[in-house]
Amino acid sequence: MAWIDFKRVKALVTLEMVLNRYGLFDNLKKSGANLVGVCPIHSGTNPKQFSVNLEKSIWHCFGDCQAGGNVLDLVANLENCSIFQAGQLLTEWFLSDLEDVENPLPEKAAAPAKENQEQAEGVEEAGENPPLSFKLKNLSPDHPWLKERGIARETADYFGLGFCSRGLLKNRLAIPIINSAGELVAYAGRAVREEDLKEEKYKLPPGFKKLLEVYNLNRQSANLDRLILVESFISVWWLHQAGFPYTVALMGSEFGQRQEELILNRLDSTARILLMFDADKSGAKCASDALSRLGRWVFVKSLDLSAVGNKPHRIPPEILSDIILFD
Ligand SMILES: [Zn+2]
């Protein structure tokens, strides 16, 4: 049997079946919508690190593994084998009796579960953003654009921001993007002049994949207990200097699957996330997506900013401290 129907395996094999086969199911305890327990993959001791959502058929380890996924990922991690081999094992364990049954899985019956899962997983982007082999020099942090937006010099220095006077990002604000491993992977070039705005607001290297990075996540400690998620760079700077350094940005209003994994891997299982997306159509859509996806694992709350300025960086600091509440 060389060919494995992964969709069929995912549709027919539940996490409960797999956990039972390993004798792990009875050790899990109910916690909200999830089951939690000691992680069987990294043999941890924390009884809350390993989290399973039976309804969505997904799991995640908040501890050393930094792993998660569906039934196939679970077996691949437990057996230390490939996804393909995991598919072979699951087929052998649970589906071999079904092999001879004619049309065992009508497409119609399987369709809703499949659609839900794909929706819940978000946009998957393959590959990675390779680290840059250079660093921009002679960036000037003094520019009225930042001052006009209330971004202090110390904040600009902290985030390595500076204006570029030559090269590809000439006349733009260069924003270093550092991946969660601490490597510089790109500069975003924010237009500051009217004529450049018409061209494009942000210039990014060709082929750069935003959905694989979370801005400012590299500066966050492991096992975070709180996190603010925003759309834009400037919202991060603004919240940082207002006393909320645990703010990270998606760099847009789309929430990729890799971004979700990167965020989950920085969190403690008891963490609380506050979504502060722009009060517009795309922000609302992204908020509802992030709520349902992150909400499977941790406490998530979305703030409606329509009454306070629509965007995080337009909200005065004194109002920020009134509305940023994690309970
Ligand atoms: Zn683990």
Side-chain angles (χ1 to χ4, degrees), residues 223-236:
N223 300 318
L224 275 178
D225 63 352
R226 55 182 57 189
L227 186 75
I228 300 174
L229 189 55
V230 297
E231 288 181 35
S232 66
F233 300 111
I234 190 167
S235 292
V236 168

Side-chain angles (χ1 to χ4, degrees), residues 39-44 49-50 61-67:
C39 175
I41 298 160
H42 79 271
S43 312
Q49 265 176 353
F50 183 72
C61 170
F62 289 92
D64 296 351
C65 294
Q66 310 210 335

Side-chain angles (χ1 to χ4, degrees), residues 55 76 83 115 119 122 172 189 200 213 274 292 301 306 317 321:
E55 199 188 319
I83 294 285
E115 272 171 19
Q119 239 174 21
R172 287 172 180 261
E200 51 192 333
E213 317 291 345
L274 214 53
S292 67
K301 195 167 84 173
S306 57
S321 34

Side-chain angles (χ1 to χ4, degrees), residues 2-58:
W3 191 75
I4 303 291
D5 184 346
F6 291 104
K7 275 186 180 159
R8 185 163 172 269
V9 170
K10 283 199 280 182
L12 294 177
V13 180
T14 66
L15 274 176
E16 185 171 355
M17 286 155 76
V18 176
L19 290 163
N20 259 321
R21 194 177 193 280
Y22 285 101
L24 297 167
F25 189 76
D26 294 338
N27 301 332
L28 300 174
K29 291 203 167 63
K30 213 168 158 39
S31 167
N34 302 328
L35 294 172
V36 297
V38 170
C39 175
I41 298 160
H42 79 271
S43 312
T45 51
N46 183 329
K48 279 187 152 184
Q49 265 176 353
F50 183 72
S51 180
V52 177
N53 188 310
L54 290 182
E55 199 188 319
K56 310 264 182 187
S57 201
I58 47 173

Side-chain angles (χ1 to χ4, degrees), residues 137-143 146 153 157 161-165 173:
K137 286 182 194 133
N138 306 317
L139 293 177
S140 159
D142 281 315
H143 194 285
L146 283 170
R153 172 66 192 266
D157 287 344
L161 312 176
F163 290 87
C164 227
S165 53
L173 174 68

Side-chain angles (χ1 to χ4, degrees), residues 209-227:
K209 300 178 174 98
K210 279 198 293 188
L211 296 181
L212 298 181
E213 317 291 345
V214 178
Y215 181 66
N216 202 32
L217 195 61
N218 63 299
R219 296 186 186 87
Q220 308 301 323
S221 58
N223 300 318
L224 275 178
D225 63 352
R226 55 182 57 189
L227 186 75

Side-chain angles (χ1 to χ4, degrees), residues 62-180:
F62 289 92
D64 296 351
C65 294
Q66 310 210 335
N70 55 36
V71 280
L72 292 157
D73 301 300
L74 182 60
V75 172
N77 274 282
L78 286 167
E79 300 288 338
N80 199 15
C81 68
S82 69
I83 294 285
F84 183 80
Q85 288 168 316
Q88 283 182 317
L89 286 172
L90 287 172
T91 305
E92 190 184 309
W93 293 341
F94 300 111
L95 305 177
S96 52
D97 293 346
L98 293 174
E99 287 308 291
D100 299 330
V101 180
E102 213 176 307
N103 196 14
L105 185 72
E107 273 303 308
K108 267 182 199 157
K114 194 185 78 190
E115 272 171 19
N116 283 342
Q117 195 163 19
E118 279 172 7
Q119 239 174 21
E121 278 171 2
V123 185
E124 190 170 10
E125 245 194 301
E128 59 176 314
N129 295 313
L132 288 187
S133 54
F134 64 91
K135 243 181 136 169
L136 290 180
K137 286 182 194 133
N138 306 317
L139 293 177
S140 159
D142 281 315
H143 194 285
W145 189 88
L146 283 170
K147 277 189 209 113
E148 283 160 16
R149 279 151 190 81
I151 301 300
R153 172 66 192 266
E154 303 83 71
T155 310
D157 287 344
Y158 180 81
F159 288 99
L161 312 176
F163 290 87
C164 227
S165 53
R166 62 188 87 157
L168 212 62
L169 298 184
K170 192 175 173 185
N171 295 321
R172 287 172 180 261
L173 174 68
I175 305 164
I177 300 174
I178 298 161
N179 66 17
S180 65

